[in-house]
Amino acid sequence: MKKNLVKWMPTVLLLLATGCSSYESENASYEAFYSQYGDGEENAYFSGDSFSEFNDNPFIPVATQPISTFSVDADGAFYAIMRRYVNMDYNINASGVRIEEFLNYFTFDYPTPTNGQDIAINSEVNVCPWNQDHYLVRLGLKGKELTEKEVPTANFVFLVDVSGSMDGKDRLDLLKSGLKQLLFKLNPNDRISLITYSGTVQKLLESTPVKNIDKISNAINKLSASGCTAGGEALKMAYEEALANYNPAYNNRIIMGTDGDFNVGVTNIEALVEMVESYAKKGIYMTCLGFGLGNYNDSMMEKISNSGNGNYYYIDCEEEMMKVFVHERERFVSVANDTKCQITFDSTLVKSYRLIGYENRVMNNEDFDNDQKDAGEIGAGQTITALYEIEPTEGFRHTDNNNQSFATFDVRYKKTLDDKSIPLSAHLVVKDINNPATDNFNFATGVAAYGMVLRSSPHKGTATIDMAKELVGKSLTFDPHGYRAELLKLMGRAKVDE
């Protein structure tokens, strides 16, 4: 990380009037930031950020391991983290880039479920842009959309970090504005609790119907930051509050907003994960909202949300708050639980394969049929995308049977956590390679190429930023809120620490 704090500070502070793609400073804000973080020491703001590092999935020979299994991952947090680093002209931690979160930040134009199913699956295959001797398989899933009448009553517990590290317009102030936006989108009978934590834990608002919006708004207005962070004890109180108002027909969920700097109370990540898992089994979901940089604990946020049947967002600007709380609010409702994917390759047609991303979501093959094994959730209307790069055999290239299946795509999901899993299946056939690449395929491959270049992946082949931009640029026909166009503007500006 090479940028000097003084050089970029005037462009950083503070977000929010102009949104994600530009940053506006004000003298008072600048001086407050300057006094808090020092007089220009290099890396003073970002040296405390924590990201889990990992290696790319390798190519696996089909002859010895024809089956690949993974849990879905509906998060998009690392994309928003990348966006903020790029907009601040700051270096990205290359080995922490999670390509699946780049892919799943975006909504794809996938078919909706039919025949009473809560998800629909689709797939396609085409030539791999960064290795013309290989093919790419795109796997897609989409959760069913809900009408207003179908949305279950909410039992939400807002768990808000009000420690000193959350002070600032890009942290607590931003969270408060998002919570207020959400209130106007909820139903009058939805229920809201508000628990805060810093040096102490406080129930600021007992469970209150949203029809009492003034009472809830007044409680949100009282939020202010100071002190250290007793996050572990706060989690316990939040879960107990959710249980006290639990209804199996409700959407029972903790929505935690923090920079992840737990430094008082239960701080061991394994202990936090164990706690979250125990309450997830009781039907309490978890949504993690991450804020700020400098002491940001991305690895803790990811692990807690994964273990809590939840999702994880990073909030870098007002527009991201609108995306999470307004445009994609229905994703707080899980329509597919413990969703697992498994693909089985034919060794006569496929020599080796590699799952792109999902490194921390790979599962043992025997866990696919085990309904006791936890996996990821899909929200209402949400799409999930995964890519496999495959090395074909000579038989694949020269088969006389174009209808021959070279792989089977299987999915299992539960409509509720207590249900038995429901199987879905689709075959990928050789003749599919002759179909023109769709916008969904081009966009997914462009995003993956971008991620591999940022990661300096050993498998990136001939992938470049220009290749990624070209693929994304010709797949903008489906872009409801302009997120794809925004990515195109970001590409080429990223800097990484390798």
Side-chain angles (χ1 to χ4, degrees):
M1 297 184 176
K2 304 175 180 63
K3 284 286 180 183
N4 187 282
L5 187 65
V6 170
K7 182 176 180 179
W8 51 255
M9 192 185 303
T11 66
V12 175
L13 293 162
L14 255 164
L15 315 170
L16 291 170
T18 53
C20 298
S21 299
S22 59
Y23 292 82
E24 183 175 289
S25 62
E26 299 176 0
N27 290 336
S29 298
Y30 171 84
E31 291 176 5
F33 178 94
Y34 193 91
S35 65
Q36 182 176 358
Y37 292 103
D39 57 357
E41 293 183 6
E42 192 166 344
N43 302 330
Y45 192 38
F46 298 96
S47 59
D49 293 339
S50 172
F51 301 97
S52 295
E53 299 183 356
F54 54 89
N55 296 319
D56 291 51
N57 287 323
F59 277 96
I60 297 175
V62 177
T64 58
Q65 192 171 329
I67 301 175
S68 173
T69 306
F70 65 96
S71 163
V72 301
D73 185 345
D75 298 338
F78 206 93
Y79 176 83
I81 292 172
M82 175 277 299
R83 178 176 60 204
R84 183 166 190 184
Y85 271 66
V86 169
N87 280 327
M88 296 169 71
D89 196 26
Y90 209 75
N91 290 18
I92 298 167
N93 180 331
S95 56
V97 173
R98 299 189 290 272
I99 293 176
E100 69 276 12
E101 294 188 12
F102 280 24
L103 289 167
N104 293 327
Y105 179 87
F106 299 94
T107 297
F108 284 71
D109 189 16
Y110 291 160
T112 57
T114 58
N115 300 322
Q117 296 289 354
D118 282 5
I119 60 172
I121 64 175
N122 64 89
S123 62
E124 65 179 313
V125 59
N126 215 293
V127 175
C128 176
W130 52 84
N131 186 335
Q132 294 291 312
D133 293 329
H134 289 181
Y135 291 96
L136 279 182
V137 175
R138 180 194 57 74
L139 306 178
L141 301 88
K142 182 176 180 179
K144 73 173 183 178
E145 298 174 351
L146 300 177
T147 66
E148 285 294 327
K149 291 182 178 180
E150 292 175 318
V151 175
T153 300
N155 169 30
F156 287 163
V157 179
F158 293 150
L159 177 60
V160 180
D161 182 353
V162 292
S163 63
S165 62
M166 281 289 287
D167 188 30
K169 291 186 177 181
D170 62 336
R171 304 185 187 208
L172 186 57
D173 289 351
L174 187 54
L175 174 56
K176 289 165 67 174
S177 71
L179 296 184
K180 290 178 181 179
Q181 290 172 17
L182 178 61
L183 291 181
F184 288 100
K185 294 297 180 179
L186 294 176
N187 295 318
N189 292 326
D190 290 336
R191 303 189 69 87
I192 299 296
S193 306
L194 183 58
I195 291 173
T196 64
Y197 63 99
S198 57
T200 59
V201 179
Q202 179 185 5
K203 185 189 296 185
L204 192 62
L205 180 73
E206 62 185 8
S207 185
T208 302
V210 171
K211 61 187 176 183
N212 297 326
I213 194 167
D214 289 343
K215 181 178 180 180
I216 300 172
S217 295
N218 288 338
I220 293 172
N221 288 335
K222 293 178 182 177
L223 296 173
S224 61
S226 65
C228 51
T229 316
E233 294 301 317
L235 270 175
K236 291 180 183 178
M237 180 181 286
Y239 276 117
E240 291 302 320
E241 175 71 7
L243 279 178
N245 299 282
Y246 178 84
N247 185 316
Y250 287 4
N251 178 12
N252 302 280
R253 184 174 296 267
I254 310 295
I255 301 177
M256 179 173 68
T258 180
D259 59 9
D261 182 26
F262 284 16
N263 53 38
V264 172
V266 181
T267 59
N268 180 277
I269 288 184
E270 286 69 30
L272 288 169
V273 166
E274 183 178 349
M275 181 199 308
V276 168
E277 286 178 341
S278 68
Y279 284 100
K281 293 175 181 177
K282 299 176 182 179
I284 310 296
Y285 293 79
M286 165 68 74
T287 293
C288 291
L289 307 175
F291 295 84
L293 292 173
N295 59 342
Y296 187 68
N297 194 334
D298 169 79
S299 68
M300 188 213 70
M301 299 285 280
E302 186 195 15
K303 288 178 181 177
I304 285 182
S305 63
N306 288 350
S307 302
N309 287 340
N311 37 26
Y312 166 35
Y313 305 94
Y314 179 78
I315 310 297
D316 60 330
C317 59
E318 289 279 6
E319 280 75 4
E320 187 65 14
M321 269 298 197
M322 288 292 292
K323 180 179 188 289
V324 172
F325 283 111
V326 178
H327 300 320
E328 299 175 358
R329 174 179 58 94
E330 68 275 11
R331 296 185 183 181
F332 286 147
V333 180
S334 293
V335 296
N337 298 276
D338 289 338
T339 308
K340 309 165 190 174
C341 300
Q342 187 171 84
I343 187 164
T344 305
F345 293 98
D346 183 339
S347 61
T348 66
L349 299 176
V350 180
K351 184 177 181 180
S352 67
Y353 63 87
R354 187 178 84 84
L355 174 61
I356 299 176
Y358 293 90
E359 281 82 4
N360 63 358
R361 292 292 195 151
V362 173
M363 303 182 72
N364 296 324
N365 293 330
E366 59 268 24
D367 292 339
F368 182 71
D369 295 322
N370 184 351
D371 283 355
Q372 302 306 308
K373 287 293 184 179
D374 182 57
E377 278 62 47
I378 301 176
Q382 189 162 30
T383 62
I384 302 295
T385 301
L387 294 173
Y388 279 87
E389 183 176 349
I390 63 172
E391 178 187 7
T393 65
E394 286 302 310
F396 185 101
R397 299 180 188 281
H398 301 106
T399 180
D400 293 328
N401 182 7
N402 283 338
N403 288 315
Q404 185 172 353
S405 171
F406 68 87
T408 303
F409 175 32
D410 291 296
V411 174
R412 281 189 174 273
Y413 77 98
K414 301 174 184 175
K415 291 194 174 186
T416 70
L417 289 170
D418 296 328
D419 285 343
K420 291 184 178 180
S421 63
I422 299 170
L424 298 173
S425 187
H427 291 285
L428 285 76
V429 296
V430 173
K431 69 178 181 180
D432 290 345
I433 66 175
N434 298 316
N435 295 329
T438 66
D439 282 1
N440 285 325
F441 184 90
N442 286 329
F443 185 74
T445 54
V447 171
Y450 179 57
M452 288 193 298
V453 171
L454 292 187
R455 281 188 59 78
S456 295
S457 169
H459 306 293
K460 68 181 181 180
T462 61
T464 62
I465 294 295
D466 285 342
M467 174 190 288
K469 289 174 66 176
E470 180 181 357
L471 289 164
V472 169
K474 61 183 181 182
S475 53
L476 300 180
T477 53
F478 179 79
D479 193 15
H481 299 289
Y483 301 137
R484 295 186 180 193
E486 179 194 56
L487 168 62
L488 193 60
K489 293 178 181 179
L490 290 173
M491 298 170 102
R493 294 171 49 204
K495 301 177 182 180
V496 296
D497 280 338
E498 302 182 10

